[in-house]
Amino acid sequence: MIAMPITPAVLILLGPPGAGKGTQARMLEETFGLVQLSTGDLLRSAVAAGTEAGNKAKSVMEAGGLVSDDIVLAILKDRMTDPDTKRGVILDGFPRTAGQAEALDGLLASTGQRVNSVISMKVEDASMVARVAGRYTCASCGEGYHDEFKQPASAGVCDKCGGAEFKRRADDNAETAGARLAAYHAQTAPLITYYKGRGVLEQVDAMADIASVAGAMSASVKRVVA
Ligand code: ADP
Ligand code: ADP
Ligand code: ZN
């Protein structure tokens, strides 16, 4: 008997901190009815909840390093069992190491699936600190904003939900940003070659404005999701 597919479409957004993965994943969710799975968000929830995994991840995240593969994989697998992932998933911030990419292939292969598309979001290192240092999100709905590049239409009021409370991440500062970028180049950037070799890689210029990047991403996703 063939096992049921875990999820019909698996898309990966690959890019350094500040590339716009979260911003674009939320737009793709709305356009294509997919579900965004952000390992960063899942880890931050685990930290806030004070779970065993969260307690282990906390100091690593604060320092801008990568949380161990076993913790990240356990958290992701757990989330993948939720019924909403049956509509297809956009992985945002996962995989980030060769070990995670191989584990994902193994997980999908057990049900005859594979990664459908990997979109590599290219941004210049020099712009990354400004991107993360200006980032903030709505405390109610999670919509992302930027001090300079994406302000709410009405100052202090979330466009999506009308919320008036916003938050900033502790690791979005200039010092930690350097460590996060170094981790990206050392451990995550090699995945571009990994997925190119599998014939599923698409590249998008993520230096363009948010709407232009969204147009390029949608065109790319349309090719793999009906
Ligand atoms: P990531 O999830 O890749 O770390 P985000 O989507 O959170 O990145 O974007 C980082 C910050 O940059 C956010 O404040 C977001 O509003 C802003 N941003 C996203 N895409 C662009 C873009 N194309 N141009 C300018 N700013 C952007
Ligand atoms: P970014 O905006 O830098 O892409 P994320 O929210 O994706 O930020 O991740 C924040 C932090 O969470 C990372 O710096 C890292 O410590 C941890 N993290 C997130 N995803 C992973 C992963 N797949 N593997 C290891 N660590 C991760
Ligand atoms: Zn909101």
Side-chain angles (χ1 to χ4, degrees):
M1 197 179 89
I2 298 171
M4 283 294 287
I6 304 176
T7 180
V10 181
L11 309 178
I12 294 173
L13 302 192
L14 199 62
K21 303 181 296 295
T23 302
Q24 297 297 332
R26 286 175 71 94
M27 294 167 86
L28 292 171
E29 268 195 317
E30 284 177 18
T31 315
F32 294 96
L34 302 165
V35 170
Q36 171 196 19
L37 295 191
S38 155
T39 43
D41 286 347
L42 294 172
L43 286 165
R44 279 185 289 279
S45 297
V47 171
T51 65
E52 197 187 333
N55 292 340
K56 283 189 193 152
K58 190 170 188 280
S59 57
V60 180
M61 293 172 76
E62 281 168 356
L66 291 184
V67 175
S68 70
D69 287 355
D70 55 339
I71 290 181
V72 175
L73 283 163
I75 277 181
L76 185 84
K77 277 188 195 165
D78 190 45
R79 178 70 180 87
M80 295 273 276
T81 62
D82 291 345
D84 64 336
T85 62
K86 298 282 177 287
R87 289 184 286 159
V89 294
I90 308 164
L91 298 175
D92 158 10
F94 179 94
R96 255 172 156 102
T97 65
Q100 291 177 14
E102 283 157 16
L104 177 65
D105 282 346
L107 180 70
L108 295 174
S110 67
T111 53
Q113 286 181 275
R114 61 185 204 107
V115 170
N116 299 92
S117 178
V118 179
I119 303 181
S120 166
M121 303 180 66
K122 288 183 75 83
V123 283
E124 287 160 18
D125 285 359
S127 65
M128 172 265 169
V129 174
R131 286 261 185 112
V132 300
R135 164 163 60 191
Y136 63 100
T137 52
C138 171
S140 311
C141 75
E143 182 68 5
Y145 293 98
H146 192 279
D147 291 326
E148 194 183 335
F149 308 128
K150 188 189 164 191
Q151 292 159 344
S154 168
V157 182
C158 175
D159 295 340
K160 283 277 143 93
C161 76
E165 261 190 68
F166 298 87
K167 57 184 184 183
R168 289 179 193 262
R169 278 167 47 180
D171 60 342
D172 277 347
N173 57 68
E175 303 81 63
T176 309
R180 287 159 61 196
L181 194 57
Y184 170 78
H185 284 298
Q187 293 184 264
T188 310
L191 298 182
I192 295 173
T193 311
Y194 179 87
Y195 287 118
K196 204 180 262 175
R198 278 168 173 62
V200 289
L201 191 84
E202 306 247 5
Q203 308 243 24
V204 162
D205 171 18
M207 290 300 290
D209 60 72
I210 294 176
S212 306
V213 178
M217 306 271 297
S218 288
S220 175
V221 173
K222 263 191 204 129
R223 289 196 277 274
V224 290
V225 178

